[in-house]
């Protein structure tokens, strides 16, 4: 287990980055999916017709698709509607995956991305069980399987570029910038166009806050988002107990150490003839 | 477009009809997103709720082929509610012009229809002329035969209830669209009208567009920021290709092709040079002779001299065409099937999949002696001889496939829908021996010239052709040489009116300087001004906006004509040069400086009597237009294959439409055998016939297989589930595809009759990574009588679940 990289007290704060995924602007064109595959050099999918509602392909995120546009037909009476959602790693402020990973293959960096070091991954899939958004995907086809997920284009961000998806989106559905600014902008959009948005920023508070903030014109559960998540960071749930571990061991060490000392003393006090039993 | 992409941010209301920009012009959605942020409404009218509808404020369903009913109703709504820009309509349109007594309209036909020939005698639609030969006018717009009153009369039948009965649009949505859109009649509000193939590909496609123009003129939306009639063009450089005159009926710069009857240059110029209707008309095309002579001079150089009509004899002349039916695609494919066409060059096109009545097209290819295909991949046309069901040994065509390189592997310009010519550099060298089209044509031309030096029938047009697009001794062409020639230069030393001398060889600065005496040459007058002594203006990338802040970006690339970004912009000001909308002014007259500021004014003359529509002989916007062959006003007719009777008149479909019946492929169905309406369209993930996109594994992964979209109610009735295999058939053929069941396609009630419509993306063929059946096997050889464009957007079909073997 490892804790997320803690900020050193007093160190100058590097501005952590975030994205807004504004589904009211998304036209479902999937340029983001192709740009992501291009940048991450993922192979093409062999698909049959469509795997999800509408034109959705593939059905879910997987080892070759780090982001996915979902197609959701929501019909009210005679009025059809088509709303698109996007799935990708949320790059949580306090990621459960990094907390669960036994080899520190996953790490929350200062700039925002939760990075993945494939050299350290042992394919144990603890991260898959820990992630509340069900993001890391396993490479079931491989003999040396690793997990796969969105990298937030950490290399591009370091080079002062935007993530590949944000770069190609034609409508500006994907915005990129400092998280503080993105939060302000998301709130501004909801405030100025209340009829357009449900008044919720998905990712603002969920599991302690994430680096991808989603906006939607319909309730998030209608477009396949996992809702009802707690506000507290996931590592806190286990940390509450696991942080006691050293103390428990320390306590047990003290107890057994004391018992050993007591028994040892008793043996010493009994004298030589008691050893001949 | 009369306007341009960025200009959409100035619109208060955007109406998208016959187009799906979210899927087919996704970059445009950037501008539509921004205009929505500023509070604009987006209205989408479409048979199917698609990805554009998903971001629209109002979606109105429309049965394919009933666009004129829809827009005719909007015209009536605007007239009834007095939502017209009064000053604009009175001053800048032909609303006040009086039409002669020969004109009439009754029972679905305009005056002058010849049943036998299926054409109109357009002299019946002439204006009433005064003693000087100018059209009479009534500025009060009350004369019973003035255009305004005739317009009102014509569209009186297009009331909301009738319209909705025809189109199947829910009344509430229809009235919402009418109300929101006609609100742009106010001088400080603008509406932009976006359309694409859904408008054009009909037997009355040109009249569809006319209906938009009429409505926009009534609302004062032409020539203003955020307005316009804006075609979203179908390919990245189709604007460039029509600009260069690749269509059979035009020369570069939209000059008219000569016809057999033009015995010499003088004859031709007399026929094609318009005469001003009155003294207020600037009639810019009176300068046609200068542009024609400069073109001839560009092509034949010193061999184009005054004594011989500047080599006019070298231009091909149009006859009556294939089988007397003209030269357009539908006529060509029939001629091919009849064995009248020996060989074909097919550059960047895949008619075996993309052509209407595609089985006929492929049967026509079988008859060719030779075929030369230049493309990036070996597509269905290149491989027509080995298609499924065909024995290559039976086909005698000799096929040459020339590998062409892609847009990023060559230098040159691309002209977008907004007329912006943007120069592009070569990013990577072409793969293997694939070559730019320019190199391929250059090699062909030089070989032809060499052959014609030896012998040939009528060798002069080729032998004497100026052809110098490579540096001497070089193999690769230089697109700059072509661009410079298109702009034009002085063929001789010239002394201007003010005494300044310009030396021969200097680039011409503007087409106003082109001459008809052979002293100038220009390969395309509308591009004159784009590559001057200043340099290659299409290569400019200064993103700064102009002072009026309406997104003109005057130094980003170069727009034709003369970098004017909004056409007819003199209609955005009153007779004193004051903008109708000072907040979003396009041009305005500075009385102190005695000059215009803002966009390049459409006609540099000071404000006053000169009318703003300078490219029309009339000088004014045409509410009534005697120019089209099928009527001076649009009239609703049903498509040639329709499920219902025309509710508006006894004339079922366009009386002038070209309807082929000469081959076994030219069969037509009725609603009894083919009860469903079908339409065709595209998806974001694929491009045209899939010649490129179905060779891209990532794109194929998103959308792999051919499918048909059908409504949930229809699917339930036929026992079809999402993902089932189904057979879709028309009178011309049948195909097998996946069924995609959706709520987004809902049936129409047309006069209490339930009509279902289904839709087929047409991207598949037998080549590529994933093959699929060809949707155009179902479409018909029916053409619009003005543009000859095929009616591929609406036909009748049937649908059956595929029986399991």
């Amino acid at each position: 287990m490892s804790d997320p990289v803690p900020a050193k007290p007093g160190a100058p704060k590097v501005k952590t980055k975030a994205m807004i995924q504004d589904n009211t602007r998304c036209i479902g064109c999937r340029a983001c999916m192709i740009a992501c595959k291009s940048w991450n050099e993922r192979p093409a999918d062999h698909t049959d017709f469509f795997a999800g509602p509408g034109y959705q392909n593939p059905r879910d995120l997987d080892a070759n698709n780090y982001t996915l546009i979902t197609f959701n037909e929501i019909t009210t009476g005679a009025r059809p509607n088509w709303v698109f959602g996007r799935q990708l790693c949320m790059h949580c402020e306090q990621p459960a995956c990094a907390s669960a990973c036994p080899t520190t293959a996953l790490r929350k960096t200062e700039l925002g991305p939760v990075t993945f070091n494939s050299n350290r991954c042992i394919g144990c899939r603890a991260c898959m069980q820990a992630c509340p958004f069900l993001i890391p995907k396993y490479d079931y086809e491989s003999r040396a399987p690793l997990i796969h997920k969105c990298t937030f284009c950490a290399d591009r961000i370091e080079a002062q570029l935007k993530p590949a998806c944000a770069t190609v989106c034609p409508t500006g559905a994907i915005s990129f910038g400092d998280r503080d600014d993105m939060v302000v902008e998301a709130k501004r959009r909801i405030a100025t166009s209340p009829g357009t948005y449900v008044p919720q920023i998905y990712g603002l508070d969920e599991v302690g806050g994430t680096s991808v903030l989603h906006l939607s014109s319909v309730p998030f559960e209608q477009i396949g988002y996992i809702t009802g998540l707690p506000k507290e960071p996931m590592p806190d749930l286990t940390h509450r107990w696991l942080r006691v571990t050293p103390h428990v061991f320390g306590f047990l060490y003290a107890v057994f150490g004391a018992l050993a000392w007591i028994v040892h003393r008793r043996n010493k006090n009994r004298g030589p003839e008691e050893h001949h039993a | 477009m009369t306007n341009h992409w960025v200009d959409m941010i100035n619109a208060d209301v955007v109406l998208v009809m016959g187009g799906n920009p979210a899927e087919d012009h996704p970059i445009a959605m950037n501008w539509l997103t921004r205009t929505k942020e500023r509070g604009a409404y987006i209205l989408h009218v479409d048979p199917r709720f698609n990805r554009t509808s998903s971001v629209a404020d109002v979606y109105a369903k429309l049965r394919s082929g009933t666009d004129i009913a829809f827009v005719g109703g909007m015209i009536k709504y605007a007239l009834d509610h007095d939502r017209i820009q009064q000053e604009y309509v009175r001053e800048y349109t032909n609303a006040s012009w009086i039409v002669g007594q020969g004109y009439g309209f009754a029972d679905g036909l305009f005056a002058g229809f010849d049943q036998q020939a299926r054409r109109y005698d357009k002299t019946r639609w002439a204006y009433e002329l005064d003693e000087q030969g100018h059209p009479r006018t009534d500025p009060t717009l009350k004369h019973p035969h003035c255009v305004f009153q005739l317009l009102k009369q014509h569209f009186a039948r297009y009331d909301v209830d009738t319209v909705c009965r025809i189109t199947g649009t829910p009344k509430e949505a229809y009235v919402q669209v009418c109300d929101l859109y006609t609100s742009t009649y106010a001088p400080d509000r603008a509406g932009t009208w976006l359309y694409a193939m859904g408008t054009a590909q009909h037997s009355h496609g040109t009249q569809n567009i006319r209906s938009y123009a009429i409505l926009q003129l009534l609302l004062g939306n032409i020539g203003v920021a955020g307005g316009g009639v804006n075609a979203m063009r179908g390919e990245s450089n189709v604007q460039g290709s029509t600009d260069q005159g690749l269509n059979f009926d035009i020369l570069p710069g939209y000059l008219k092709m000569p016809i057999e009857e033009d015995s010499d240059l003088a004859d031709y110029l007399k026929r094609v040079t318009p005469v001003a209707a009155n003294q207020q008309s600037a009639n810019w095309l009176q300068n046609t002779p200068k542009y024609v002579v400069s073109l001839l001079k560009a092509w034949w150089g010193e061999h184009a001299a005054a004594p011989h009509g500047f080599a006019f004899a070298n231009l091909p002349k149009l006859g009556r065409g294939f089988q007397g039916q003209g030269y357009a695609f539908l006529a060509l494919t029939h001629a091919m099937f009849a064995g009248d066409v020996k060989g074909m060059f097919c550059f960047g096109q895949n008619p075996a999949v993309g052509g209407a009545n595609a089985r006929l097209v492929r049967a026509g290819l079988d008859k060719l002696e030779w075929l030369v295909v230049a493309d990036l991949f070996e597509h269905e046309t290149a491989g027509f001889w080995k298609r499924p069901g065909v024995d290559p040994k039976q086909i005698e065509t000799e096929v040459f496939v020339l590998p062409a390189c892609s847009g990023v592997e060559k230098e040159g310009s691309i002209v977008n829908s907004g007329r912006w010519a943007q120069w592009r550099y070569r990013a990577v060298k072409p793969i293997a021996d694939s070559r730019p089209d320019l190199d391929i044509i250059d090699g062909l031309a030089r070989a032809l010239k060499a052959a014609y030096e030896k012998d040939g029938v009528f060798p002069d047009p080729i032998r004497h052709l100026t052809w110098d697009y490579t540096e001497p001794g070089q193999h690769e062409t230089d697109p700059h040489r072509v661009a410079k020639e298109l702009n034009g230069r002085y063929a001789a030393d010239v002394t201007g009116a003010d005494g300044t001398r310009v030396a021969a060889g200097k680039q011409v600065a503007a087409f106003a300087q082109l001459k008809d005496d052979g002293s100038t040459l220009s390969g395309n007058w509308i591009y004159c001004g784009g590559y001057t002594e200043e340099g290659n203006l299409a290569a400019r990338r200064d993103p700064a906006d102009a002072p009026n802040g309406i997104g003109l970006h005057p130094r980003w690339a170069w727009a034709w004509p003369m970098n004017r970004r909004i056409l007819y912009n003199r209609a955005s000001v009153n007779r004193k040069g004051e903008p109708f909308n000072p907040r979003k002014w396009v041009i305005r007259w500075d009385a102190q400086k005695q000059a215009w500021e803002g966009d390049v004014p459409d006609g540099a003359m000071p404000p006053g009597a000169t009318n703003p529509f300078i490219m029309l002989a009339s000088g004014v916007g045409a509410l009534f237009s005697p120019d089209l062959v099928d009527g001076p006003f649009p009239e609703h007719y049903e498509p040639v294959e329709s499920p219902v009777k025309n509710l508006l008149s006894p004339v079922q479909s366009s009386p002038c439409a070209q309807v082929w019946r000469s081959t076994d492929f030219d069969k037509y169905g009725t609603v009894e055998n083919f009860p469903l309406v079908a339409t065709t369209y595209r998806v974001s993930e694929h491009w045209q016939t899939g010649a490129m996109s179905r060779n891209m594994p990532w794109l194929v992964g998103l959308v792999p297989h051919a499918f048909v979209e059908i409504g949930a109610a229809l699917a339930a009735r036929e026992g079809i589930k999402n993902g089932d295999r189904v057979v879709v058939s028309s009178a011309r053929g049948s195909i097998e595809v996946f069924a995609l069941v959706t709520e987004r396609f809902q049936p129409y009630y047309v006069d209490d009759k339930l009509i279902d419509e289904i839709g087929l993306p047409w991207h598949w063929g037998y080549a590529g990574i994933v093959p699929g059946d060809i949707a155009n096997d179902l479409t018909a050889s029916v053409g619009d009588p003005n543009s000859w464009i095929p009616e591929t957007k609406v036909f009748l079909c049937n649908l059956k679940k595929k029986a399991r073997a």
Side-chain angles (χ1 to χ4, degrees):
Chain A
M1 291 139 298
S2 79
D3 294 321
V5 176
K8 297 186 180 57
K13 191 128 198 345
V14 168
K15 291 221 163 197
T16 186
K17 303 294 183 191
M19 287 197 283
I20 297 177
Q21 172 65 28
D22 188 341
N23 292 326
T24 69
R25 298 182 180 187
C26 178
I27 52 174
C29 74
R30 304 190 278 180
C32 56
M33 288 179 65
I34 299 297
C36 177
K37 282 174 91 78
S38 172
W39 188 256
N40 290 296
E41 296 179 308
R42 304 317 298 148
D45 305 294
H46 295 275
T47 52
D48 235 338
F49 184 51
F50 300 114
Y55 306 152
Q56 193 164 320
N57 253 334
R59 170 174 293 284
D60 291 309
L61 295 175
D62 58 33
N64 294 329
N65 291 277
Y66 297 174
T67 189
L68 176 73
I69 295 293
T70 63
F71 287 66
N72 307 277
E73 271 186 37
I74 300 166
T75 306
T76 21
R79 203 208 178 269
N81 198 5
W82 217 6
V83 184
F84 310 105
R86 188 156 83 110
Q87 291 180 6
L88 71 162
C89 174
M90 299 288 275
H91 298 279
C92 305
E93 298 290 271
Q94 295 183 70
C97 60
S99 167
C101 178
T103 61
T104 63
L106 291 157
R107 245 186 93 226
K108 174 75 173 180
T109 58
E110 277 185 307
L111 265 180
V114 175
T115 57
F116 172 68
N117 184 345
S118 58
N119 290 331
R120 293 193 178 187
C121 179
I122 55 172
C124 74
R125 299 191 284 147
C127 57
M128 290 174 69
Q129 292 170 32
C131 176
F133 301 103
L134 305 179
I135 295 302
K137 297 297 176 195
Y138 200 58
D139 197 352
Y140 288 102
E141 311 295 316
S142 167
R143 282 172 189 241
L146 305 172
I147 64 100
H148 292 264
K149 73 172 191 72
C150 158
T151 65
F152 209 168
C153 285
D155 48 354
R156 290 177 65 91
I157 294 178
E158 275 214 41
Q160 318 283 346
L161 299 171
K162 294 199 281 195
C165 55
T167 305
V168 299
C169 175
T171 59
I174 307 173
S175 308
F176 172 78
D178 298 336
R179 190 175 189 273
D180 296 338
D181 294 338
M182 293 293 98
V183 172
V184 165
E185 171 61 14
K187 288 179 173 169
R188 183 197 71 80
R189 288 186 198 176
I190 294 176
T192 48
S193 311
T196 307
Y197 296 95
V198 295
Q200 182 190 355
I201 301 172
Y202 184 90
L204 182 64
D205 298 321
E206 278 78 358
V207 297
T210 70
S211 296
V212 186
L213 310 168
H214 298 249
L215 300 173
S216 174
S217 58
V218 301
F220 283 94
E221 54 270 14
Q222 285 186 17
I223 51 175
Y225 283 65
I226 295 171
T227 52
L229 292 168
K231 286 204 170 131
E232 58 191 327
M234 302 301 292
D236 277 7
L237 292 175
T238 47
H239 193 239
R240 181 182 311 154
W241 303 104
L242 291 176
R243 72 176 167 81
V244 174
T245 309
H247 304 291
V248 168
F249 274 94
F251 173 71
L252 290 173
Y253 187 73
V255 163
F256 285 122
L259 279 175
W261 184 76
I262 292 167
V263 168
H264 178 74
R265 265 199 60 184
R266 244 206 251 152
N267 284 343
K268 225 169 64 172
N269 288 342
R270 281 215 186 107
E273 63 281 1
E274 288 178 355
H275 288 293
H276 297 307
Chain B
M1 288 186 174
T2 56
N3 294 50
H4 57 93
W5 291 117
V6 181
D7 180 66
M8 282 156 213
I9 54 173
N10 299 309
D12 295 286
V13 187
V14 180
L15 198 142
V16 183
M17 183 163 173
N20 182 5
E23 302 199 43
D24 306 321
H25 297 83
I27 310 298
M29 298 308 291
N30 171 38
W31 306 113
L32 294 191
T33 304
R34 296 217 207 160
T35 200
K36 260 184 91 167
E37 272 204 298
R38 292 172 168 212
Y41 291 95
I42 308 218
L43 316 177
H44 191 217
V45 182
D46 200 285
R48 173 186 64 118
F49 191 102
N50 53 41
R51 285 180 264 194
T52 299
S53 324
S54 74
V55 292
D57 294 290
V58 181
Y59 163 70
K61 188 173 73 175
L62 164 93
R63 176 168 64 94
S64 285
T66 64
D67 308 62
I68 291 174
F70 194 103
V71 181
M74 293 178 74
I75 290 171
K76 176 172 164 56
Y77 190 96
L79 292 167
D80 286 349
H81 291 82
D82 209 21
R83 287 193 174 178
I84 63 170
Q85 219 268 50
Q86 298 278 359
E87 188 177 344
Y88 185 108
V89 169
R90 193 182 61 243
E91 297 290 320
Y92 297 154
T93 74
N94 63 359
S96 62
W97 292 30
I98 296 169
V99 178
Q101 289 306 312
Y103 170 77
F105 177 84
D107 298 327
L109 289 174
F110 296 97
F113 187 63
D114 179 339
Q115 284 283 1
Q116 189 77 333
R118 287 169 58 83
R119 47 188 317 131
Y120 281 103
D121 169 15
K122 296 203 285 179
T123 63
R124 298 289 296 272
W125 310 336
Y127 297 109
E128 205 177 274
L129 303 179
D130 63 19
E131 306 76 43
Q132 282 104 22
H134 302 148
R136 282 193 207 279
T137 66
D138 171 19
T140 69
L141 308 186
K142 295 215 169 51
H143 189 289
H145 243 238
C146 79
V147 165
F148 192 70
Q149 293 301 330
L150 292 176
L151 182 77
K152 273 185 151 174
Q153 255 177 59
H154 187 82
F155 288 104
R157 297 162 294 141
Y158 291 69
D159 58 276
V160 169
D161 288 321
T162 303
V163 168
C164 292
R165 272 170 70 207
I166 295 172
T167 64
T169 310
K171 193 164 149 180
E172 197 193 310
Y174 184 69
V175 172
Q176 223 187 345
V177 169
C178 288
D179 183 46
L180 276 170
Y181 198 74
T182 60
S183 75
T184 63
Y185 81 102
D188 63 348
R189 282 174 71 77
T192 185
W193 198 290
L194 303 182
Y195 73 94
M197 292 300 103
T199 296
Q201 287 176 355
H202 291 274
S203 52
H204 45 243
T206 315
Q207 293 288 357
N208 282 347
I209 301 164
R210 270 279 293 143
S211 70
Y212 305 163
I214 292 171
L215 182 60
Q216 288 291 68
L217 286 169
L218 290 175
L219 299 172
N221 280 334
I222 304 285
V224 304
V229 173
N230 296 314
M232 300 183 288
R233 307 230 42 188
E235 295 81 20
S236 57
N237 199 21
V238 63
Q239 181 69 51
S241 81
T242 56
D243 292 347
Q244 301 309 336
L246 294 199
N247 288 14
F248 78 88
D249 61 326
I250 50 175
L251 292 171
Y254 302 99
L255 299 170
K256 293 188 169 43
M257 271 291 281
I259 59 179
E260 277 178 328
E261 289 82 1
D262 297 324
S263 50
D264 57 20
L265 179 64
D267 238 14
Y268 162 75
L269 289 176
K270 184 153 193 286
R271 179 175 67 84
V272 304
T273 305
V275 173
N278 54 34
Q279 282 162 339
Q280 292 80 42
S281 169
N283 187 28
W284 192 264
L285 286 178
Q286 66 180 284
N287 295 301
T288 295
K290 301 171 186 167
Y291 310 144
V292 172
V293 172
S294 297
L295 176 70
L296 294 171
K297 201 74 189 154
W299 287 4
W300 287 293
E302 64 198 22
H303 299 283
H308 311 291
F310 294 102
F312 175 76
N314 287 354
L315 281 176
K317 314 290 187 294
L318 295 180
R320 296 199 51 239
F322 299 116
Q323 305 168 335
Q325 301 299 324
Y327 301 86
F329 181 81
L330 295 177
L332 172 64
T333 50
H334 281 80
M336 283 164 63
F337 182 66
D340 293 346
V341 180
K342 220 166 129 99
M344 177 155 94
F345 284 92
C346 193
F347 275 57
Q349 193 184 2
N350 188 8
V353 174
N357 208 344
R359 291 177 58 238
L360 165 71
V361 176
R362 299 194 295 275
L365 290 169
D366 289 343
K367 303 277 178 72
L368 294 173
E369 281 183 34
W370 51 266
L371 171 69
V372 179
V373 171
D375 217 301
L376 274 64
F377 291 93
E378 190 189 34
H379 51 46
E380 288 77 3
T381 301
F384 79 91
W385 52 273
K386 48 181 177 173
R387 65 188 185 273
V390 140
D391 176 12
K393 291 194 186 59
Q394 302 299 321
I395 295 173
E396 293 171 14
T397 317
E398 194 172 2
V399 180
F400 302 85
V401 180
L402 305 177
C405 67
S406 73
V408 299
E409 295 164 305
K410 56 190 178 186
E411 188 182 2
S413 65
I414 282 191
V415 187
N416 72 11
S417 303
R419 296 167 283 104
W420 292 21
Q422 298 181 93
W423 195 265
R424 299 181 171 194
Y425 63 93
R426 182 168 81 180
V428 289
K429 285 205 162 82
I431 298 171
D433 197 18
S434 67
R435 300 185 196 176
D437 291 323
L438 187 56
D439 281 20
I440 296 174
I441 303 254
D442 180 67
L444 194 61
R446 289 199 273 167
L448 279 171
K449 280 169 87 58
Y452 271 102
E453 281 300 323
K454 300 202 183 98
D455 61 45
V457 177
F458 194 37
D460 281 0
I462 302 289
R463 271 181 66 221
H464 293 162
L465 199 59
T466 303
W467 199 268
D468 57 356
Y469 306 115
T470 53
E471 296 290 326
Q474 290 284 39
H475 169 66
E476 275 185 7
T477 55
D478 178 4
H480 291 266
R481 285 173 165 254
V482 178
K484 283 181 183 169
E485 183 186 276
L486 292 176
N487 179 90
R489 54 184 167 270
Y490 290 93
D493 293 343
V494 160
T495 305
D498 55 358
T500 50
R501 263 189 85 252
V502 187
K506 289 276 182 224
Q507 295 293 104
V508 179
F511 55 69
Q513 291 166 18
L514 293 175
K515 299 274 183 292
D516 63 359
D517 60 8
S519 60
T520 57
L521 66 90
S522 167
N524 190 333
W525 73 276
I526 62 176
Y527 281 39
C528 187
Y531 206 134
T532 61
E533 289 300 317
E534 265 184 68
N536 184 4
L537 304 185
R540 297 183 303 181
R541 290 294 185 271
D542 178 357
D545 200 358
N548 53 3
I550 56 169
L552 294 179
H553 303 286
R555 286 176 309 281
W556 180 283
W558 183 85
W560 69 262
M562 292 310 296
N563 207 29
R564 182 173 299 121
R565 306 267 159 150
I566 296 180
L567 299 182
Y568 302 120
N569 54 33
R570 287 177 77 102
S572 70
V573 299
N574 61 20
R575 295 276 184 200
K576 295 197 254 172
E578 298 159 337
F580 287 122
N581 185 357
R583 275 187 315 112
K584 291 181 188 168
W585 61 276
V586 182
I587 60 171
R588 66 182 176 202
W589 178 252
D590 184 329
Q592 269 214 322
K593 294 194 199 136
Q594 286 288 294
W596 290 102
E597 43 180 15
D599 192 10
V600 177
D602 207 344
M605 61 292 284
T610 306
N611 281 325
F613 288 83
I614 66 170
M615 292 299 288
L616 303 179
S618 65
V620 289
L623 296 171
F624 177 96
S625 172
D627 289 347
L628 298 183
V629 305
D630 49 355
F633 287 128
E635 167 72 0
H636 164 74
Y637 301 108
E638 287 290 322
V640 168
E641 277 192 345
S642 162
V644 293
K645 271 171 61 78
N646 184 357
L647 294 180
L648 215 52
S649 82
V651 181
Q652 176 65 14
S653 60
S654 166
C656 305
Q658 284 191 320
V659 182
W660 260 267
R661 298 187 194 275
S662 54
T663 73
D664 283 340
F665 297 96
D666 295 314
K667 294 201 165 54
Y668 296 91
T670 61
V671 69
E672 284 74 39
N673 298 327
F674 301 100
L676 308 174
V677 175
T679 190
T680 56
Y681 43 78
R682 295 175 267 191
V683 298
S684 310
E685 295 80 0
H686 282 297
W687 174 245
Q688 306 297 67
T689 63
M692 290 192 287
S693 59
R694 279 186 302 108
N695 281 303
M696 296 287 104
W698 287 330
L699 294 176
V700 170
L702 288 178
V703 180
H705 292 119
F707 63 98
V708 59
E709 289 189 86
I710 67 178
L714 169 64
R717 286 204 310 275
E718 297 293 317
I720 295 170
K721 289 191 323 296
N722 192 45
D724 280 349
R725 298 287 293 171
V726 294
V727 175
V728 186
S729 57
S730 77
R732 292 157 291 281
S734 70
I735 61 175
E736 187 192 310
V737 292
F738 280 103
L740 189 146
V741 179
T742 173
E743 295 282 1
R744 296 172 292 101
F745 239 137
Q746 300 198 339
Y748 310 97
Y749 282 94
V750 180
D751 231 16
D752 299 330
K753 192 173 164 191
L754 186 71
I755 308 279
D756 278 293
E757 183 165 333
I758 66 173
L760 289 150
W762 54 277
H763 301 294
W764 283 268
Y766 41 82
I769 296 174
V770 177
D773 280 2
I774 296 173
N776 266 313
D777 282 4
L778 308 181
T779 56
S781 297
V782 170
D784 175 286
N786 295 288
S787 64
W788 309 281
I789 199 167
E791 188 163 66
T792 39
K793 286 294 175 178
V794 59
F795 52 96
L796 291 180
C797 72
N798 206 348
L799 177 75
K800 284 269 174 311
K801 182 166 168 173
K802 177 153 204 253
R804 289 183 169 271

